[in-house]
């Protein structure tokens, strides 16, 4: 399988609860390479742009309020099959439905406060990586 890149976010619920280090440890344990990383607070408009694909969903307002409510850690992860691998490491969107041992199952508290985000396909990953990182940020 080829080395692939995905965009991962440690969301404001996890950063606010002091879980960024725990989640980074899990990323290292799963043998991802961190190609780029930074900490930032999204504006509401930036959160709306990032999640534009969900604009028509009933939870869009809540989601973008939450994502702009505090600091997040955004990063680019490299691994063989990184997109699926990171989604497996996170677990299902709803922590109640996520598999045992996954980040969302063990650390998430609701479908909204689910600690992490990951790209869902190569095209999405390209958009999401470009949303936060320019070419020279990526080693
Ligand atoms: P994420 O992987 O970041 O992609 C979109 C986010 O929307 C998702 O994680 C959840 O945090 C959020 N989300 C999805 N479904 C719902 C829902 N039914 N209610 C509230 N938030 C949701």
């Amino acid at each position: 399988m080829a080395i692939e890149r995905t965009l991962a976010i440690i969301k404001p619920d996890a950063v606010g609860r002091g879980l960024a280090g725990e989640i980074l440890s899990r990323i290292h344990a799963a043998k991802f390479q961190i190609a780029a990383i930074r900490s930032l607070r999204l504006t509401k408009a930036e959160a709306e742009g990032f999640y534009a694909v969900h604009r028509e969903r009933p939870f869009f307002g809540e989601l973008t309020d939450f994502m702009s409510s505090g600091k997040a850690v955004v990063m680019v992860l490299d691994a063989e099959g990184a997109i699926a691998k990171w989604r497996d490491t996170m677990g299902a969107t709803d922590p109640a439905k996520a598999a045992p041992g996954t980040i969302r199952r063990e650390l998430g508290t609701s479908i909204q406060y689910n600690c992490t985000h990951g790209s869902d396909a190569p095209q999405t990953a390209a958009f999401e990586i470009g949303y936060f990182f320019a070419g020279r940020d990526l080693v």
Side-chain angles (χ1 to χ4, degrees), residues 11 51 54 57 59 62-63 66 87 93 104 111-114 116-118:
K11 295 185 179 184
Y51 280 118
H54 295 304
R57 304 283 192 101
F59 55 81
E62 267 176 52
L63 172 63
F66 160 56
R87 293 178 72 79
T93 305
R104 285 166 165 169
I111 195 164
Q112 175 159 264
Y113 300 131
N114 64 356
T116 52
H117 169 83

Side-chain angles (χ1 to χ4, degrees), residues 18-88:
L19 295 173
E22 163 71 24
I23 292 170
L24 286 166
S25 294
R26 288 170 180 251
I27 286 168
H28 288 301
K31 306 255 186 283
F32 289 97
Q33 293 292 323
I34 297 176
I37 184 166
R38 67 194 179 100
S39 167
L40 54 80
R41 181 170 180 168
L42 288 169
T43 63
K44 173 83 170 166
E46 286 168 342
E48 288 171 348
F50 182 77
Y51 280 118
V53 68
H54 295 304
R55 197 183 297 109
E56 305 305 325
R57 304 283 192 101
F59 55 81
F60 184 67
E62 267 176 52
L63 172 63
T64 53
D65 280 346
F66 160 56
M67 289 300 290
S68 56
S69 68
K71 280 226 165 184
V73 177
V74 297
M75 69 196 106
V76 177
L77 301 180
D78 286 1
E80 283 191 7
I83 294 171
K85 183 178 159 88
W86 175 234
R87 293 178 72 79
D88 287 348

Side-chain angles (χ1 to χ4, degrees), residues 110-127:
S110 72
I111 195 164
Q112 175 159 264
Y113 300 131
N114 64 356
C115 292
T116 52
H117 169 83
S119 310
D120 63 2
Q123 210 181 340
T124 327
F127 166 76

